[in-house]
Amino acid sequence: MRRRTLIRGAVATALAPAGILAATDAATARTASAQEADLRGIDVSNYQAGIDYARAAAEGLDFVVVKAGGCQLSEGPYTSSSYSGHVDGARAAGLRVGHYFLSGDFLTPGAAADYFVDHLHDYRAGDVLALDVEVLDDSTRLWDDADVSAWFNRVRERVGTYVPWFYISTGALRAGTWERTVAAGAHLWAASWGANDGTWPGPPDLGGRYPDWAAHQYASVGSVGGVSPVDLDLARPWAFDPTRPTDPPPGGGLPKTTTEQDGIPGPVMWKRTQNWLRIESGYTGPIDGVPGPNTYAALQRNMRGWGYTGPIDGAPGPNTWAAVQRLAAAHGYTGPVDGVMGPNSWRGFSRFINQDRWD
């Protein structure tokens, strides 16, 4: 793949030092201000191929988070060519292992999560599964709270209870709100480099946007296992604890639609539908519960997966609604697939749209 950046763009833009800094060995990367129980780690991609992981472990390294791939390139999602080698080497050296995926414009959060899970190499219970949220290469938009939480929730649907890490620069973190991501149970992996001289600069400034940090990428100038430069990370011991989602944040989500019970579509059902289509199918209009051509066009795009073969014209007809009935049939609808929506069709569809991930 092309144009893979060595220093992560969103962090580097805000945090890179003016001059070239000396590399620092992993064994001396921490300062006395870090807790002794904290764990030392690195995150790696194609640029760090050739690390001697046995040597890195002897130098005091505890964990490695490996780039599995991403969806920030216009040619589509990819798996990093060095991914399996890093995982195997770290595993053989007895290190804790993590796998991370780079967000981007070219897959929806749900599809990105599926691609990530489908291409995991030697995933084992207790491994970190991380989402790297920044804007790089061909992508133009930072994933927001709804996108990020949808990714983590979809991964949980696929693998069960796991160890989720949410990577983001502290600047981007402070510029957003992350209630749904917190509710999804994601541990924060904060990126801020301070002086970027290889020593830990102290806790990252979260600006009150997250309850606490679990891991901290604090430098980009490490030398580990005979390779430099390498990103250096510090993690609290509890950062490797599996999590479960919490209750949705107060006021942070959409209410459930009563259409599931009464079969009558209304504004709440359409708001939930618009939010689902925003997450999954590129809908960019308002979440106002008033469907129009943009809502219907996104619905038609999504219904390609349920047998719709007509134009994406924002004018739904029997073919669009027959595909919606096929989706509803996967959620309890037992009537005919005739393209005529009635109360039972809407009940089945709303059973799908009432799932927590579309809140």
Side-chain angles (χ1 to χ4, degrees):
M1 307 301 289
R2 60 184 168 84
R3 299 199 306 283
R4 208 72 78 247
T5 51
L6 173 59
I7 303 300
R8 290 186 170 141
V11 178
T13 299
L15 303 171
I20 298 175
L21 299 170
T24 302
D25 190 277
T28 59
R30 247 182 358 180
T31 68
S33 59
Q35 298 296 314
E36 286 304 313
D38 291 340
L39 303 175
R40 285 167 288 183
I42 58 174
D43 54 278
V44 297
S45 64
N46 290 345
Y47 294 103
Q48 289 80 35
I51 290 178
D52 182 341
Y53 280 109
R55 174 179 166 183
E59 291 170 351
L61 199 70
D62 297 303
F63 68 91
V64 180
V65 188
V66 182
K67 184 175 183 179
C71 61
Q72 87 284 9
L73 297 177
S74 58
E75 58 260 44
Y78 61 90
T79 299
S80 296
S81 60
S82 63
Y83 170 45
S84 60
H86 278 306
V87 170
D88 293 343
R91 192 89 74 194
L95 300 172
R96 295 176 186 254
V97 171
H99 317 249
Y100 80 84
F101 191 79
L102 180 59
S103 66
D105 293 5
F106 301 101
L107 281 180
T108 65
D114 284 337
Y115 184 93
F116 175 61
V117 171
D118 289 342
H119 293 83
L120 284 171
H121 174 73
D122 192 24
Y123 170 66
R124 303 182 187 182
D127 286 359
V128 168
L129 298 181
L131 178 65
D132 177 350
V133 178
E134 53 187 319
V135 179
L136 290 178
D137 298 319
D138 301 324
S139 292
T140 61
R141 185 183 69 86
L142 191 77
W143 280 15
D144 64 15
D145 188 29
D147 298 320
V148 173
S149 60
W151 189 91
F152 282 112
N153 288 330
R154 179 58 179 164
V155 171
R156 181 171 279 106
E157 287 180 3
R158 294 291 308 277
V159 304
T161 301
Y162 72 109
V163 183
W165 283 17
F166 164 40
Y167 174 95
I168 192 170
S169 73
T170 52
L173 180 83
R174 293 192 299 267
T177 56
W178 307 98
E179 290 182 337
R180 296 183 184 187
T181 303
V182 172
H187 293 313
L188 178 62
W189 179 14
S192 63
W193 297 346
N196 201 16
D197 60 3
T199 60
W200 189 59
D205 177 11
L206 310 185
R209 295 299 192 179
Y210 222 80
D212 202 357
W213 62 276
H216 180 192
Q217 185 195 77
Y218 62 88
S220 66
V221 296
S223 176
V224 179
V227 171
S228 64
V230 179
D231 293 337
L232 301 178
D233 299 277
L234 190 72
R236 272 89 175 265
W238 54 264
F240 298 90
D241 291 344
T243 71
R244 297 182 183 276
T246 63
D247 292 333
L254 294 170
K256 305 298 186 184
T257 176
T258 59
T259 306
E260 183 176 349
Q261 289 75 45
D262 60 26
I264 302 171
V268 173
M269 189 209 76
W270 283 113
K271 283 182 180 180
R272 297 187 65 85
T273 299
Q274 289 167 330
N275 196 45
W276 158 55
L277 294 172
R278 183 190 64 80
I279 293 169
E280 290 288 325
S281 300
Y283 172 68
T284 58
I287 309 299
D288 60 3
V290 181
N294 289 338
T295 301
Y296 292 131
L299 179 66
Q300 288 169 326
R301 283 195 294 273
N302 192 286
M303 289 302 98
R304 292 288 194 203
W306 295 94
Y308 177 67
T309 59
I312 308 300
D313 59 6
N319 290 338
T320 303
W321 298 122
V324 172
Q325 287 174 321
R326 293 186 192 98
L327 169 61
H331 297 273
Y333 171 62
T334 58
V337 177
D338 57 6
V340 180
M341 296 292 286
N344 289 335
S345 298
W346 289 119
R347 287 189 187 99
F349 174 72
S350 293
R351 193 169 295 116
F352 164 76
I353 215 66
N354 262 345
Q355 294 178 95
D356 291 345
R357 56 181 165 151
W358 314 130
D359 287 352

